[in-house]
């Protein structure tokens, strides 16, 4: 039997390298609206929800500015930008191995639901996941990742003793903690946690194969 029969995954920086596509669409959004970002559009901004990132990049909370930038981003990313997304090496084999071992897999991501589903379909992964949750899956929109994980656990009737959350950022670990879930940090992504950022009770793995070993109790 697997150590964890229910595996909840973050998406960006954990399963997929979405940085090139996301950064290109942020640049398109600023170019199309004539606004200038106040900080660099680089891989360090990838991970938080869209509106939060746009406020940070634009240096303003002005609703008209943020709405225009969001529209520009979505027009770029949802039409063709998402196609530049790549799976990290070894992730496809890891997902197949976990599924074959009887694990039920789910997604809990800050990414909007539409591009999440487009990317899963593009990579041929839709069949791997029993549930795909995003902040905008519900109305009103869920406030944060911790609330989203809580809703997923509740909706799917998942026993916390059977579950684990896998991500690449401190927010992911904190969201797991808020739901009394163990957390495994994927250190191959752009949100990789440094040793000093790891809580003592979190675990880190360096490859998708090592992650599968940890989840299946073969590490």
């Amino acid at each position: 039997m697997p150590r964890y029969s229910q595996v909840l995954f973050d998406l960006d920086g954990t399963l997929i390298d979405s940085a090139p596509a996301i950064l290109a669409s942020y640049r398109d959004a600023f170019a199309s609206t004539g606004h200038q970002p106040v900080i660099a559009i680089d891989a360090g901004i990838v991970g938080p929800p869209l509106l939060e990132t746009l406020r940070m990049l634009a240096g303003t909370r002005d609703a008209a500015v943020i709405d225009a930038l969001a529209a520009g981003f979505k027009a770029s990313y949802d039409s063709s930008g998402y196609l530049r997304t790549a799976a990290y090496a070894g992730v496809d084999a890891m997902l197949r191995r976990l599924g074959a071992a009887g694990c039920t897999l789910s997604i809990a991501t800050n990414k909007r639901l539409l591009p999440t589903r487009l990317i899963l379909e593009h990579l041929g992964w839709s069949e791997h996941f029993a549930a795909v949750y995003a902040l905008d899956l519900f109305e009103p929109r869920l406030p944060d990742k911790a609330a989203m994980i809580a809703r997923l656990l509740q909706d799917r009737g998942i026993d916390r003793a059977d579950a684990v959350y896998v991500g690449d950022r401190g927010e992911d670990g904190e969201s797991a903690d808020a739901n009394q879930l163990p957390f495994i940090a994927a250190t191959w992504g752009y949100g990789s946690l440094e040793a000093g950022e790891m809580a003592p009770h979190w675990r880190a793995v360096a490859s998708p194969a090592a992650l599968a070993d940890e989840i299946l109790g073969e590490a």
Side-chain angles (χ1 to χ4, degrees):
M1 291 290 293
R3 179 176 291 155
Y4 304 107
S5 61
Q6 298 282 343
V7 188
L8 284 58
F9 287 100
D10 172 50
L11 187 60
D12 293 329
T14 300
L15 301 180
I16 59 173
D17 180 3
S18 53
I22 288 174
L23 298 178
S25 291
Y26 276 129
R27 294 185 184 109
D28 286 348
F30 278 89
S32 66
T33 59
H35 295 287
Q36 292 295 320
V38 299
I39 62 173
I41 298 178
D42 60 26
I45 68 167
V46 178
L50 174 62
L51 297 182
E52 178 182 330
T53 303
L54 287 173
R55 293 182 190 114
M56 177 177 63
L57 288 172
T60 180
R61 300 182 68 86
D62 183 287
V65 172
I66 300 305
D67 287 350
L69 288 168
F73 178 90
K74 292 173 184 177
S76 171
Y77 194 72
D78 296 358
S79 60
S80 60
Y82 76 91
L83 293 170
R84 298 177 61 181
T85 302
Y88 283 116
V91 166
D92 186 76
M94 177 266 292
L95 295 175
R96 294 180 184 280
R97 182 179 167 195
L98 293 179
C103 295
T104 299
L105 312 182
S106 301
I107 295 283
T109 177
N110 282 335
K111 186 182 288 296
R112 292 176 296 116
L113 186 62
L114 173 60
T116 294
R117 287 178 168 162
L118 289 172
I119 288 167
L120 294 178
E121 182 178 354
H122 171 60
L123 296 175
W125 287 355
S126 297
E127 65 183 25
H128 289 316
F129 298 100
V132 178
Y133 274 48
L135 296 178
D136 64 343
L137 177 60
F138 301 99
E139 184 61 43
R141 177 188 176 92
L142 296 172
D144 53 37
K145 184 169 283 185
M148 173 172 46
I149 291 173
R151 182 66 182 266
L152 193 162
L153 295 173
Q154 176 183 328
D155 289 351
R156 306 291 296 184
I158 294 173
D159 188 331
R160 285 170 169 80
D162 298 329
V164 63
Y165 189 60
V166 181
D168 69 319
R169 297 167 59 89
E171 177 206 14
D172 297 327
E174 291 161 4
S175 298
D177 286 350
N179 286 281
Q180 299 85 51
L181 292 184
F183 174 64
I184 302 175
T187 63
W188 55 81
Y190 41 75
S192 297
L193 291 164
E194 301 295 335
E197 299 175 300
M198 288 284 294
H201 58 287
W202 297 349
R203 283 164 286 167
V205 292
S207 71
L211 173 62
D213 289 343
E214 184 72 26
I215 290 170
L216 297 177
E218 300 173 4

